[in-house]
């Protein structure tokens, strides 16, 4: 019999032990393996942060060099995966394509049937490299452009921008994306990571877990929110409306404003601090401060009016827009980063596994209800 | 801050209210919408049971006729989905193919962007018809056989066997599979259904939720267990070993025997009762009682020795084997049935949604750990 009734949506329920990510929602603290996200955002790279998430400590110079080179070597997509993506209709959204293609990767992964710790680490390298490539390659394909081959001399962030745009990215663009990838790399038992752990805990394979996580990230209450923010900014711009008046109207119509509030943070999301700063800086440097200014006006109003803080999704929208990235790539880019955390959690789950199988509180017809033969039913 | 620490694997934690399925694990009771599984196994069909799961009450004659015809009309796979499956390597396992192809179905579903209740019901019809077809079509393709077009005059169970084998199934085979589909159609918050609800609760789409559920079902601690049982029986048979001696040896080597014990049931799994009876009957009727007899000997020994009961997976193995179904289709057939429950749960989740986002108990390095520059690291 069930022993504990949890808050709706498992709010406040501890569902696993984890040594990966520590959050203090009251104080606005996020840390990976004990290291504050502000230190990582200022000093680290996606490669180093991924090493930290997977190994529990920061790499020394040799370890970092090896790790970075392993990850770059894994930039390889089987030709049959590229052909598969070519066969998708151009109407397919990048998140549907990512979900489907990651699922298909298992066909060609030599370790598919090996669910050991070491095999999953190898698959994690592959998936981290491949997810970034799939997002970039599909964007080229749907636009009828040539695929850009990976450049293994570039960092993960720079190679992604290179494969996406076909030109070497500026230092500013690379560093901005790299910081965004560090900020998004893990967030404890968020919905997609939790979905990945539930799937992995049946002792299914890591491709199943990551495919499920991508499906969860797609939702507008999770990763999909950054696209929602940008659609709002675009609508305001199109109508030439005052951002505050526009948002006031939405609130009056009881519409939800994407990018505000968070289940865990009761104060500012520490990731928003960095994304706000980058959004402002990029706007100024590029001479296109519009998206930042619009965002800032909305943020101040919502802070005041609803006592809600901007979350990670709010300023990632204007940041990516100013970098010239298409709106429906914002959530895929979230996945390009979060694969680091997903893989860490799947491997941690399997290292000390138990099936995740809660109970429901029954609220249906009384038992036993009779089975009435069909000809006697009203 | 977390308020409640749950049992490992969320054992005994109530994670949702649900009116779909009620289980009494102590008494060995399983019911759908208040109706006992024994009544349904004896009297109902997969179509009627699916209607019950989705609508909360049994259909009258007209409703059942309409529902059955809607489900039969949904037996349609876009030619591009068939081409997609043709492009998969023959080494791809049916569960990998099912996961990937169901993900791709969203490309061609007219309701892909509509997450309303009514659109999800329409998508549930499609998915229920399509999952059965995908399993049958891929099995034909990988064997180099012609695809068998669906026969809309047949029941769901009969059409599946028809599309799989290319010959009209016997009444016994149809009724056996139909009962198996009724028995597997739902089981409250099992791991795959829970994964589907976690994904759906981000307001992602039903294809994402079902793709994730298929990934979870694939695991040997969940749907994959029935294949594990059959591999055991085949190994015993190949070695000409005594089943009890063989299993004794496995226990001595601390190996897990698939198909025994259940997180929820403390007594016999009520589904096992029917599968045991069908396995025995089929064995007798076909003159091939081997798999049943072997299974029964193992069951009696494990009951006695480990005080564990056979679960739903144990006798589904010998039942499907005697029907001549390939071993790696057992778990896909579980999905052919469980889509009924998955869809019911996704729609119930969305009708009263809240993001499912638990917390973790942190057990990693102390916060704040310093960020040491790379050149200073040991």
């Amino acid at each position: 019999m069930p022993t504990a009734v949890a808050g709706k949506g498992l709010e406040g329920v501890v569902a696993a032990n984890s040594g990966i990510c520590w959050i203090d929602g009251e104080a606005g603290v996020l840390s990976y393996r004990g290291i504050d996200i502000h230190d990582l955002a200022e000093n680290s790279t996606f490669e180093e942060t991924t090493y930290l998430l997977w190994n529990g400590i920061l790499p020394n110079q040799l370890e970092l060099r090896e790790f970075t080179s392993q990850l770059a070597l894994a930039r390889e997509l089987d030709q049959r995966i590229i052909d598969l993506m070519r066969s998708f209709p151009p109407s397919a959204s990048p998140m549907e394509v990512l979900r489907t293609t990651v699922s298909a990767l298992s066909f060609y992964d030599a370790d598919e049937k090996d669910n050991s710790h070491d095999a999953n680490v190898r698959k994690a390298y592959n998936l981290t490299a491949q997810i970034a490539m799939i997002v970039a390659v599909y964007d080229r394909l749907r636009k009828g452009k040539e695929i850009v081959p990976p450049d293994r001399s570039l960092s993960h962030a720079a190679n992604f921008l290179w494969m996406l745009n076909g030109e070497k990215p500026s230092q500013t663009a690379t560093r901005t994306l790299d910081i965004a990838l560090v900020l998004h790399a893990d967030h404890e038992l968020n919905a997609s990571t939790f979905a990945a752990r539930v799937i992995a805990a049946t002792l299914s394979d890591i491709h199943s877990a990551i495919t499920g996580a991508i499906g969860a990230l797609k939702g507008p209450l999770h990763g999909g929110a950054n696209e929602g923010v940008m659609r709002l900014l675009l609508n305001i711009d199109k109508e030439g409306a005052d951002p505050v008046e526009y948002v006031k109207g939405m609130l009056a119509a009881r519409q939800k404003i994407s990018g505000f509030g968070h289940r865990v943070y009761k104060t500012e999301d520490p990731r928003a601090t960095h994304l706000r700063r980058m959004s402002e800086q990029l706007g100024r440097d590029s001479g296109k401060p519009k998206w930042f200014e619009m965002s800032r006006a909305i943020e101040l109003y919502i802070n005041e009016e609803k006592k809600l803080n901007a979350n990670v999704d709010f300023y990632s929208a204007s940041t990516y827009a100013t970098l010239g990235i298409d709106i429906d790539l914002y959530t895929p880019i979230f996945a390009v980063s979060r694969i680091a955390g997903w893989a860490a959690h799947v491997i941690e789950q399997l290292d000390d596994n138990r099936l995740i199988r809660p109970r429901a509180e029954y609220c249906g017809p009384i038992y036993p209800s009779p089975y009435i033969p069909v000809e006697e039913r009203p």
Side-chain angles (χ1 to χ4, degrees), chain A residues 167-197:
Chain A
E167 42 192 67
K168 292 284 141 98
S170 71
Q171 277 206 332
T172 306
T174 298
R175 184 64 193 143
T176 302
L177 180 64
D178 202 20
I179 293 173
L181 297 181
V182 167
L183 294 172
H184 286 84
D186 194 52
H187 208 253
E188 202 222 34
L189 297 191
N190 60 91
S192 57
T193 302
F194 185 52
R197 289 185 79 128

Side-chain angles (χ1 to χ4, degrees), chain A residues 227-240:
Chain A
E227 299 186 8
V229 173
M230 198 62 220
R231 284 185 221 287
L232 169 64
L233 299 180
L234 286 169
N235 283 341
I236 294 172
D237 191 52
K238 205 172 77 185
E239 297 193 15

Side-chain angles (χ1 to χ4, degrees), chain A residues 102 127 131 196 199 205-215 339 342-343 346:
Chain A
V102 166
L127 281 161
I131 284 178
I199 294 168
D205 61 304
I206 193 169
H207 287 90
S208 289
I210 303 305
T211 301
I214 292 167
I339 177 61
W342 290 334
V346 165

Side-chain angles (χ1 to χ4, degrees), chain A residues 293-312:
Chain A
E293 285 169 2
M294 212 181 260
S295 301
R296 183 68 181 150
I298 294 169
E299 184 192 20
L300 290 171
Y301 176 72
I302 299 279
N303 283 169
E304 180 66 27
E305 192 62 26
K306 304 285 291 180
K307 311 290 169 217
L308 286 174
N309 293 297
N311 61 34
V312 69

